[in-house]
Amino acid sequence: MKSVVILGGGEAGFTIARGLEKKLKPTEAKITLVDKRSHNVYQPFLAEVASGAIDARHVQVPFHQHLKRTDVVCAKVTGASPDAKEVYLENKDGDAWTLPYDILVVTLGAVTKTFPTPGIAENAVGLKSVEEAVCIRNKIIDNFNRVSSMYKDNPRRKKLLTFVVVGGGFSGAEGFAEMYDLATDMLKHYPTIDADELSFHLIEASDHIMPEIPQAESAWVIEQLEKRGAHVRLNTFVTSAEDGVVKTSAGDEFPTELIVWAAGSLANPVLKEMGLPLDERGRLCCRTDMRVESPTRIYDDVFGCGDCTRIEDASGGGLPDGTCAPTAQHAMRQAKVLVENVVNTIRGGKVETYYHANAGCVAGLGFGLGIFASGKKKLIVKGPLAWLAHRGYHGLALPTWERKLRVFGDWTGGFVLGRDMTPTVEGMEPRRFFQEFAVRP
């Protein structure tokens, strides 16, 4: 019986584990999934978690609940030895051990890419995890509550009602729009706060946002955001974020307590400790059949896919270097082909080549506003119809029907009852209330 070890439980890793459970007999392989978390996170919905449109729990798929035959190991990967065919793990309690494998699948994903900008590491938050999305939502609600008890002439109001997002890719633009949607929706419940007090700024270093869509449509998105009262600053980069003040190359200064950093991603740095071939960007070098390859060797027993890999886009599209873009669209489709290749490797069959022509992209930009661009950019849909397409596509792409039903329930409840504005700030420090009144010796 073969031992198949999957590193990373993101969209690709979780899809592979479920696929292998269906394709392989229990006597053919033992499947092990390793992830430092106990659940999968559907990242395309993090922007809606940040705005409260979706409950944070409902974009997380618990491994133990939905993987019936897979051994789930909650630990982080610290390294690997391809020659010894083993990976090195460490759990939260500091226990370290070695896990052997016959076939290794690497789907470790990507992390937020940052630069040595003063103050960013200390003051900013990303948008790649549920914890970060919840933090953003809590901060906006908490700031509103703090401002509502201040006099109008209190100078601190401006800082509390200023919000900055850095990075105008899909993640940054969607997060920015959803954050603004939440804030403007809250205004009707906070009569002591005026709309013109809100100050939202999206900062992008290039001359347009959302590079996956045509530049003319990018300009339309900016126009819609500006009409709503938000501000997009192009050809601008952050020079400093020290002491809660965002300074830009244009000379602007924005005092704020919430800086969201969404300026790109990079392959998981732990790949450098695994003894496998990487490209100049730190991505795992894979063939189109998703087997790992170096200039001198093909690793028949090591596969990779998803955001951490460099795989040629056989359709001729993709990134400027000809590789597949780091999107959930590719990760999930690569995972399905990889399942077949692992099964065929175990059974002595042939491996398949991954081929997928870009189906297009769709983005939600706050309630009722969205944009869709087909793969060849010949069809562009804007407005409410594209927003419905965004929810429909990602709602169906979300793993498991149990989670789909929960998310569609969130949307239905929000439409009928309105947005839930209950904060969970206290949950970040659950023992604070107890400790405040606890009697001490």
Side-chain angles (χ1 to χ4, degrees):
M1 187 168 63
K2 297 291 185 181
S3 172
V4 180
V5 174
I6 305 165
L7 303 182
E11 289 308 304
F14 181 67
T15 300
I16 291 166
R18 294 183 76 204
L20 291 177
E21 284 189 345
K22 295 176 182 177
K23 295 282 185 178
L24 292 172
K25 298 176 182 177
T27 55
E28 288 184 289
K30 175 185 178 183
I31 307 165
T32 303
L33 175 65
V34 179
D35 196 289
K36 61 183 180 182
R37 290 185 169 86
S38 63
H39 52 268
N40 163 269
V41 177
Y42 191 68
Q43 293 190 6
F45 277 155
L46 289 180
E48 292 199 52
V49 173
S51 70
I54 299 176
D55 188 295
R57 296 170 300 167
H58 298 165
V59 301
Q60 302 175 93
V61 186
F63 296 141
H64 292 87
Q65 183 177 349
H66 292 279
L67 295 175
K68 305 303 182 184
R69 285 178 38 220
T70 300
D71 288 344
V72 178
V73 178
C74 293
K76 68 177 181 179
V77 179
T78 59
S81 173
D83 293 329
K85 300 185 73 168
E86 56 190 22
V87 293
Y88 310 127
L89 309 178
E90 182 179 325
N91 63 18
K92 289 183 178 180
D93 297 308
D95 301 322
W97 69 99
T98 298
L99 180 66
Y101 66 83
D102 292 308
I103 296 176
L104 181 66
V105 178
V106 182
T107 59
L108 288 167
V111 300
T112 302
K113 182 180 181 180
T114 56
F115 308 100
T117 305
I120 288 298
E122 295 79 13
N123 299 310
V125 62
L127 189 50
K128 287 187 74 67
S129 71
V130 168
E131 296 92 327
E132 291 172 322
V134 171
C135 172
I136 292 167
R137 175 178 177 271
N138 279 334
K139 190 60 182 171
I140 294 174
I141 296 174
D142 190 46
N143 283 12
F144 264 67
N145 289 330
R146 291 163 65 187
V147 170
S148 67
S149 64
M150 292 180 177
Y151 292 113
K152 280 285 188 181
D153 58 355
N154 190 321
R156 190 162 179 78
R157 291 173 70 104
K158 181 178 180 180
K159 184 174 185 178
L160 291 173
L161 294 176
T162 297
F163 307 94
V164 176
V165 175
V166 184
F170 257 61
S171 176
E174 288 186 303
F176 180 73
E178 288 288 346
M179 288 166 58
Y180 189 72
D181 212 30
L182 169 61
T184 53
D185 203 17
M186 290 179 66
L187 285 173
K188 59 178 175 280
H189 303 290
Y190 290 79
T192 60
I193 300 176
D194 299 325
D196 58 9
E197 290 186 273
L198 291 181
S199 183
F200 274 76
H201 304 276
L202 176 61
I203 300 174
E204 168 55 43
S206 69
D207 61 356
H208 63 289
I209 64 172
M210 304 175 74
E212 296 87 351
I213 63 176
Q215 197 156 348
E217 313 311 327
S218 171
W220 176 84
V221 173
I222 293 174
E223 180 184 351
Q224 299 304 308
L225 293 172
E226 295 276 355
K227 277 183 179 179
R228 292 187 172 191
H231 304 288
V232 179
R233 301 175 184 278
L234 302 176
N235 299 305
T236 305
F237 57 89
V238 175
T239 58
S240 172
E242 294 180 301
D243 301 320
V245 179
V246 174
K247 297 181 181 180
T248 74
S249 57
D252 296 312
E253 294 188 7
F254 305 114
T256 180
E257 288 194 359
L258 181 56
I259 307 166
V260 179
W261 186 272
S265 60
L266 75 160
N268 195 319
V270 77
L271 291 170
K272 298 175 183 178
E273 310 298 326
M274 298 186 65
L276 294 169
L278 308 178
D279 70 357
E280 66 282 356
R281 293 171 55 184
R283 298 177 297 177
L284 186 65
C285 296
C286 297
R287 297 158 53 93
T288 51
D289 60 17
M290 286 167 288
R291 288 182 294 177
V292 174
E293 179 184 44
S294 74
T296 59
R297 175 182 175 185
I298 298 175
Y299 294 77
D300 292 322
D301 52 7
V302 183
F303 295 82
C305 74
D307 294 358
C308 71
T309 58
R310 183 191 191 281
I311 299 175
E312 180 185 351
D313 191 329
S315 71
L319 299 174
D321 64 359
T323 60
C324 295
T327 63
Q329 180 181 156
H330 275 300
M332 296 178 74
R333 286 173 171 83
Q334 288 171 356
K336 293 178 181 178
V337 176
L338 195 151
V339 167
E340 298 295 335
N341 287 350
V342 169
V343 171
N344 289 337
T345 297
I346 292 174
R347 295 175 179 172
K350 294 183 179 180
V351 293
E352 302 176 21
T353 295
Y354 171 70
Y355 178 93
H356 170 65
N358 183 13
C361 54
V362 62
L365 301 164
F367 188 84
L369 182 64
I371 186 165
F372 165 79
S374 64
K376 294 185 178 180
K377 310 296 188 291
K378 291 183 178 180
L379 174 64
I380 305 292
V381 180
K382 298 179 285 190
L385 186 60
W387 175 73
L388 289 173
H390 162 77
R391 285 197 162 183
Y393 172 78
H394 285 296
L396 293 175
L398 179 69
T400 80
W401 278 103
E402 180 253 344
R403 293 289 131 169
K404 297 183 206 296
L405 291 174
R406 292 182 189 275
V407 166
F408 278 99
D410 289 339
W411 287 334
T412 303
F415 181 76
V416 175
L417 304 174
R419 194 187 304 267
D420 187 344
M421 297 179 183
T422 307
T424 56
V425 178
E426 291 76 10
M428 309 302 287
E429 298 180 71
R431 298 184 65 240
R432 185 175 62 181
F433 182 78
F434 173 80
Q435 291 176 327
E436 182 179 355
F437 301 102
V439 177
R440 292 172 170 78

